[in-house]
Amino acid sequence: MTTPKKLTRAEQKALRPIQILDAAFEEFVRSGFSGTRVEDIAERVNVTKGTVYVYFETKEKLFEAMIHHFSVPFQELLETAEGLSGSATDRLLSILGLLYEQIAEDRTTRELTRLVISEGQRFPDLIDRHHDEFIAPIIAKVDGLILEGVASGEFRAIPVEFSDIVVAPILTTTVLRLIFDDRREPPPNKEAFLRAYFDLLLHGLLAKPH
Amino acid sequence: MTTPKKLTRAEQKALRPIQILDAAFEEFVRSGFSGTRVEDIAERVNVTKGTVYVYFETKEKLFEAMIHHFSVPFQELLETAEGLSGSATDRLLSILGLLYEQIAEDRTTRELTRLVISEGQRFPDLIDRHHDEFIAPIIAKVDGLILEGVASGEFRAIPVEFSDIVVAPILTTTVLRLIFDDRREPPPNKEAFLRAYFDLLLHGLLAKPH
Amino acid sequence: MTTPKKLTRAEQKALRPIQILDAAFEEFVRSGFSGTRVEDIAERVNVTKGTVYVYFETKEKLFEAMIHHFSVPFQELLETAEGLSGSATDRLLSILGLLYEQIAEDRTTRELTRLVISEGQRFPDLIDRHHDEFIAPIIAKVDGLILEGVASGEFRAIPVEFSDIVVAPILTTTVLRLIFDDRREPPPNKEAFLRAYFDLLLHGLLAKPH
Amino acid sequence: MTTPKKLTRAEQKALRPIQILDAAFEEFVRSGFSGTRVEDIAERVNVTKGTVYVYFETKEKLFEAMIHHFSVPFQELLETAEGLSGSATDRLLSILGLLYEQIAEDRTTRELTRLVISEGQRFPDLIDRHHDEFIAPIIAKVDGLILEGVASGEFRAIPVEFSDIVVAPILTTTVLRLIFDDRREPPPNKEAFLRAYFDLLLHGLLAKPH
DNA sequence: AATGAATGAGAGTTCATTCAT
DNA sequence: GATGAATGAACTCTCATTCAT
């Protein structure tokens, strides 16, 4: 059952930076950049703080490397989105579903969002890069789908500001879970939430057609 | 003989803690709790470190006092919401408009939101209190209005999870502005945004009635 | 006999930086710049190392301030030299005597010379300043006196390179005392040394006139 | 089959410690004992830290070995001095010329002098040995020649303190070059300097014979 | 012989907090 | 009330040294 602990030197060496990045994620999430001690990160990996500095020059560079390391999944999401087919509605809902899973339900991305909000002022380059690589392409994708749906007559003609609004329940869920964590009752299950979200998105609140 | 300064000694004395709280807000917003130095706060008020400790026992207590101090405006919002009249739709949109102004457009509330997200883990009591005093009543109010509209036939029958979704564009705008600050192009003006938001909320995305 | 220890706040405050500079001198002389711990300096003054940082931003700035502080006596030497009168020979010997006292016999200047030699590479600006303020004026003074003596027929016609040579026994004595400290027998007394020095300087080594 | 590298393995092996000592010299000269990192020395030889410790137990022992390694040339100087012939004046000037070349003009000896001055307190045994092996014999030699010249009537009768004074221009030139390095104009060429030095040494400063 | 990952004992520096004035 | 000198604990980062490979 248990994996044997014996690793070769080479394996251990390849593993170390990943272990440190994982530990850094947990500690930075727990305490923020300033509140985290390099020694706490080291202890999580059962090494001394000197070892952390073997792999990362400074605490700041470690933070940045950690953010990059955990931003990877976004890439895959964007690629998946490209392969979708079906009506504009189908594809829009598929993407929103994927985004919900990736951003709101995945703890890693959720906490990454916390760090982006809390440490963004100290690491503006990080934020810009995050925006250019992830946010902008996603927004563009959603924008494109809406325009496509409008052009095909599937959607009502709506102004571009809609993108943020369409995506809003996903980021809102993410942020509310970040704020209330375990204190509030856990959020409704994914299916129920998405059903309500999509229903409102497609049909609106009013009982009578306009 | 001498012209009195603008403030009497007593007035000055009463002002000091307020000045410190204001300065604390700016510095905590800029650098977070751990990243802020008590001395930076003091310098903003042109006093020395020691003076801050005359009014606040510790940095933590100063932070908490600052949060309470700036949380006041929510009270008024809730009271205003109570006085509304009209159809459920009218009252809902009025409340959402007020919330948008209060949360997304008001810099103070916006930055307070940042602190709630970033420092919540360190100050759980603060978050609980924030939830009980502000979030819960607002959610309850929106929930109530929706149920009322459903009961009156004004709204379609929808599950309770809708509350968060209905409010989502407001929190999302807030958070996006926190993250991208000046880097992204400024958000659309209030009227255009609210028009799009309310239009989508009431009618949904689809071109054809269901 | 003993001076009472009670100092007012203001006196203590004015004294502190001087005390620290004195302590810094002793420690930097003992261990060099890199080898000296700020804490050792602090302990000499019976304060904690935090206190040192109240007065000096960094160890480097403390070092530089210390060098400046102890370079003061040179100023006085130059002023004294200006006031001399008599034949070129008289004035030259007077200056050399003063230099011997100031550089070779005064422990402070001697050790300052050690620091200039050992830490000069790390603090080139300090050395340049030291050169411009002290070495260059002294050399110029000696140069001037020699040229004057040559012009008046008091001295033989000699090339300008002589300045360094004329002063050499002073710097050499300084350096030899720095190197051998207490290990070698103490140097001859001042009078005997200067007598020999001046005799050789004025008359040369040869028994027969040229 | 394969062309052998320039050095056999055995040659390479014998070379390593020499390479390390050379690199150590450069780094210790640049930064002093405390300021030098073993890793910097290793990098100069294109090996890693560990390799240095294969050959030298500690940084201190490496420093001492380096000093010994570069002190060798003095031996030859002393032997050359033994072989001189001619008048006391001729032999004295020959020795002083050799000393000038060896101490003031040779970069290695010059920088070794810097280390003797700056690190002497940390390595007193080194200094004592340096004194016994190099300084004392040279001083003795110069002393002997002067006494010889006095006995033969070639030199005036002068006290023994003269030795240091006679040699002073050499050490002074050395130290001034150490201090001012490239910042000051380069020293006069050897011939001009020695001519002036010897002229003053033999005839003194005064225009009229005594 | 050579490596370089890892260590651990500091070193410089910062800063919340105290308290005599 | 206000000060700011002083503290001391904690933090980031360094580096001589070790040792399994």
Side-chain angles (χ1 to χ4, degrees):
Chain A
M1 275 299 162
T2 60
T3 311
K5 290 194 70 175
K6 284 296 175 193
L7 295 176
T8 68
R9 259 282 172 108
E11 285 168 339
Q12 179 68 287
K13 177 189 170 175
L15 206 53
R16 243 327 98 85
I18 308 291
Q19 292 176 315
I20 293 172
L21 290 168
D22 287 346
F25 173 80
E26 296 300 338
E27 291 296 328
F28 283 133
V29 157
R30 174 203 294 277
S31 314
F33 178 79
S34 294
T36 293
R37 299 166 347 123
V38 172
E39 191 156 19
D40 289 339
I41 294 171
E43 271 169 20
R44 250 179 204 272
V45 193
N46 287 319
V47 295
T48 61
K49 58 186 166 169
T51 303
V52 173
Y53 284 93
V54 169
Y55 295 92
F56 301 94
E57 281 178 61
T58 64
K59 191 181 166 188
E60 291 214 354
K61 293 212 169 137
L62 171 56
F63 184 83
E64 290 176 2
M66 180 275 285
I67 296 286
H68 289 148
H69 180 66
F70 285 97
S71 293
V72 170
F74 276 95
Q75 301 285 21
E76 299 160 13
L77 179 78
L78 284 170
E79 286 159 19
T80 307
E82 289 307 311
L84 295 173
S85 63
S87 69
T89 303
D90 287 347
R91 280 178 289 152
L92 180 61
L93 299 191
S94 292
I95 287 182
L96 295 179
L98 288 170
L99 280 175
Y100 182 81
E101 275 175 32
Q102 181 60 54
I103 301 179
E105 292 217 314
D106 179 69
R107 174 174 169 265
T108 303
T109 310
R110 219 186 308 135
E111 295 293 351
L112 219 47
T113 304
R114 188 202 301 277
L115 290 173
V116 164
I117 293 169
S118 57
E119 309 297 342
Q121 326 233 58
R122 188 191 300 264
F123 299 93
D125 292 352
L126 224 59
I127 303 310
D128 285 348
R129 187 165 165 178
H130 191 81
H131 175 260
D132 295 347
E133 294 186 5
F134 309 117
I135 312 295
I138 287 169
I139 296 287
K141 188 76 199 165
V142 172
D143 272 359
L145 273 174
I146 291 174
L147 290 172
E148 208 181 310
V150 172
S152 72
E154 211 170 326
F155 297 153
R156 300 190 297 116
I158 55 174
V160 269
E161 289 86 356
F162 268 97
S163 303
D164 288 0
I165 299 172
V166 165
V167 183
I170 295 170
L171 186 53
T172 292
T173 301
T174 306
V175 168
L176 289 177
R177 290 189 63 177
L178 284 178
I179 296 178
F180 297 111
D181 208 15
D182 313 321
R183 273 184 290 283
R184 222 193 186 193
E185 65 278 15
N189 67 61
K190 180 184 154 193
E191 283 69 29
F193 181 85
L194 288 181
R195 209 178 312 124
Y197 171 21
F198 292 165
D199 178 70
L200 186 63
L201 175 62
L202 295 177
H203 303 107
L205 198 53
L206 295 185
K208 303 181 182 172
H210 37 281
Chain B
M1 276 296 163
T2 61
T3 310
K5 298 202 168 189
K6 280 217 185 86
L7 299 174
T8 66
R9 203 159 292 176
E11 283 169 337
Q12 173 76 339
K13 178 178 161 184
L15 206 52
R16 236 334 95 82
I18 308 291
Q19 291 177 315
I20 293 172
L21 290 169
D22 287 346
F25 173 80
E26 295 300 339
E27 291 298 326
F28 283 133
V29 157
R30 175 202 294 275
S31 315
F33 178 79
S34 294
T36 293
R37 296 162 356 118
V38 172
E39 188 156 21
D40 290 338
I41 295 171
E43 272 170 18
R44 252 181 202 271
V45 194
N46 288 319
V47 296
T48 59
K49 280 190 289 192
T51 306
V52 174
Y53 284 90
V54 170
Y55 296 95
F56 302 93
E57 279 179 62
T58 66
K59 191 181 164 188
E60 292 215 353
K61 294 216 167 130
L62 170 56
F63 183 84
E64 290 174 3
M66 179 276 286
I67 295 286
H68 289 148
H69 179 67
F70 285 96
S71 293
V72 170
F74 275 95
Q75 303 285 18
E76 299 162 13
L77 179 80
L78 285 170
E79 285 160 19
T80 307
E82 288 307 312
L84 293 173
S85 62
S87 69
T89 302
D90 287 346
R91 280 178 289 152
L92 179 61
L93 298 191
S94 292
I95 287 183
L96 294 179
L98 289 171
L99 280 175
Y100 183 81
E101 273 176 32
Q102 181 61 53
I103 301 179
E105 293 216 315
D106 179 69
R107 174 173 170 266
T108 303
T109 311
R110 218 188 309 136
E111 295 294 350
L112 223 44
T113 305
R114 189 202 299 278
L115 290 173
V116 163
I117 293 169
S118 57
E119 309 298 343
Q121 327 232 56
R122 189 191 300 263
F123 300 92
D125 292 352
L126 224 58
I127 303 310
D128 285 348
R129 187 165 163 179
H130 190 82
H131 176 261
D132 296 346
E133 295 187 3
F134 308 114
I135 312 295
I138 286 169
I139 295 286
K141 188 75 197 167
V142 173
D143 272 359
L145 272 174
I146 291 173
L147 289 173
E148 206 180 313
V150 171
S152 71
E154 211 171 326
F155 298 154
R156 300 190 297 115
I158 54 175
V160 266
E161 289 86 357
F162 268 100
S163 304
D164 288 359
I165 299 172
V166 165
V167 180
I170 295 170
L171 187 53
T172 291
T173 300
T174 305
V175 168
L176 289 178
R177 288 188 65 175
L178 284 178
I179 296 178
F180 298 111
D181 208 16
D182 313 319
R183 274 184 290 284
R184 219 194 190 192
E185 65 275 18
N189 67 61
K190 182 183 153 193
E191 283 69 30
F193 181 85
L194 288 181
R195 209 178 311 124
Y197 170 21
F198 293 164
D199 178 71
L200 187 64
L201 175 63
L202 295 177
H203 303 107
L205 200 53
L206 295 185
K208 303 179 183 174
H210 37 282
Chain C
M1 274 297 161
T2 60
T3 311
K5 288 193 74 176
K6 285 294 175 194
L7 295 175
T8 69
R9 256 283 172 108
E11 286 168 339
Q12 179 69 286
K13 178 187 171 178
L15 207 54
R16 245 323 100 85
I18 308 291
Q19 292 177 315
I20 293 172
L21 289 169
D22 287 346
F25 173 80
E26 296 300 338
E27 291 297 326
F28 283 134
V29 157
R30 174 204 295 277
S31 315
F33 179 79
S34 295
T36 293
R37 298 163 353 119
V38 172
E39 192 156 18
D40 289 340
I41 295 171
E43 273 170 19
R44 248 178 205 273
V45 193
N46 288 318
V47 296
T48 62
K49 56 186 168 174
T51 303
V52 173
Y53 284 92
V54 170
Y55 295 92
F56 300 95
E57 281 180 59
T58 64
K59 190 182 165 187
E60 292 215 353
K61 293 210 170 138
L62 171 55
F63 183 84
E64 290 176 1
M66 179 274 286
I67 295 286
H68 289 147
H69 179 66
F70 285 98
S71 293
V72 169
F74 276 95
Q75 302 284 22
E76 300 160 13
L77 179 78
L78 284 170
E79 287 158 18
T80 307
E82 289 307 311
L84 294 173
S85 62
S87 69
T89 303
D90 287 347
R91 279 178 289 151
L92 180 62
L93 298 191
S94 292
I95 287 183
L96 295 179
L98 289 170
L99 281 175
Y100 183 82
E101 273 175 34
Q102 180 62 54
I103 302 179
E105 292 217 315
D106 179 69
R107 174 174 169 265
T108 303
T109 310
R110 218 187 310 136
E111 294 294 349
L112 220 46
T113 304
R114 188 202 302 279
L115 290 172
V116 163
I117 293 169
S118 57
E119 308 298 341
Q121 326 234 51
R122 190 191 299 264
F123 299 93
D125 292 352
L126 224 59
I127 302 310
D128 285 348
R129 188 164 163 180
H130 191 82
H131 176 262
D132 295 347
E133 294 187 3
F134 309 116
I135 311 295
I138 287 169
I139 295 285
K141 189 74 197 165
V142 172
D143 272 359
L145 273 175
I146 291 174
L147 289 173
E148 206 180 313
V150 171
S152 72
E154 212 171 324
F155 298 154
R156 299 190 298 117
I158 54 175
V160 268
E161 289 86 357
F162 268 98
S163 302
D164 288 0
I165 298 173
V166 166
V167 180
I170 296 170
L171 186 54
T172 291
T173 300
T174 306
V175 169
L176 288 178
R177 289 189 65 174
L178 284 177
I179 296 178
F180 297 111
D181 208 16
D182 314 321
R183 274 185 289 285
R184 219 194 189 193
E185 65 276 17
N189 67 63
K190 181 183 153 195
E191 283 69 29
F193 181 85
L194 287 182
R195 210 177 311 124
Y197 171 22
F198 291 164
D199 179 70
L200 186 62
L201 175 62
L202 295 177
H203 303 107
L205 198 52
L206 296 186
K208 303 177 183 175
H210 37 284
Chain D
M1 275 297 159
T2 59
T3 308
K5 298 201 168 190
K6 281 219 185 86
L7 299 175
T8 66
R9 203 157 294 175
E11 283 169 338
Q12 172 76 337
K13 178 178 162 183
L15 207 54
R16 234 339 90 85
I18 308 290
Q19 292 178 315
I20 293 172
L21 289 169
D22 287 346
F25 172 80
E26 296 299 339
E27 291 297 327
F28 283 132
V29 157
R30 174 203 294 277
S31 315
F33 178 78
S34 294
T36 292
R37 298 165 351 123
V38 172
E39 190 155 20
D40 289 338
I41 295 170
E43 271 170 19
R44 251 180 203 271
V45 193
N46 289 318
V47 297
T48 59
K49 279 191 289 193
T51 305
V52 174
Y53 283 90
V54 171
Y55 295 94
F56 302 93
E57 279 180 62
T58 66
K59 191 181 165 188
E60 293 216 352
K61 294 215 169 132
L62 170 56
F63 183 84
E64 290 174 2
M66 179 276 285
I67 295 286
H68 290 147
H69 179 65
F70 284 96
S71 293
V72 170
F74 275 95
Q75 303 285 18
E76 300 161 13
L77 179 81
L78 285 171
E79 286 159 18
T80 307
E82 289 307 313
L84 294 174
S85 62
S87 68
T89 304
D90 287 347
R91 280 178 289 152
L92 179 61
L93 298 191
S94 292
I95 286 182
L96 294 180
L98 289 170
L99 280 175
Y100 183 81
E101 274 176 32
Q102 182 60 52
I103 300 180
E105 293 217 314
D106 180 69
R107 175 175 169 264
T108 303
T109 310
R110 221 188 308 138
E111 294 294 349
L112 222 45
T113 304
R114 189 201 300 279
L115 290 173
V116 163
I117 293 169
S118 57
E119 309 297 343
Q121 328 230 58
R122 189 191 300 265
F123 299 93
D125 292 352
L126 225 56
I127 301 311
D128 286 348
R129 187 164 164 180
H130 191 81
H131 176 261
D132 296 347
E133 295 186 4
F134 309 114
I135 310 294
I138 286 168
I139 295 287
K141 187 75 197 167
V142 173
D143 272 0
L145 273 174
I146 291 173
L147 290 172
E148 207 180 311
V150 171
S152 71
E154 213 172 324
F155 298 154
R156 299 191 296 118
I158 54 175
V160 269
E161 288 87 356
F162 266 100
S163 303
D164 287 0
I165 298 172
V166 166
V167 182
I170 296 170
L171 186 53
T172 291
T173 300
T174 306
V175 169
L176 288 178
R177 289 188 65 175
L178 284 177
I179 296 178
F180 297 110
D181 208 16
D182 314 319
R183 272 184 291 283
R184 221 194 188 193
E185 65 275 18
N189 67 61
K190 182 184 153 194
E191 282 70 29
F193 181 85
L194 287 182
R195 208 176 313 125
Y197 170 20
F198 292 164
D199 178 72
L200 187 63
L201 175 63
L202 295 178
H203 303 107
L205 196 54
L206 296 185
K208 304 180 183 172
H210 38 284

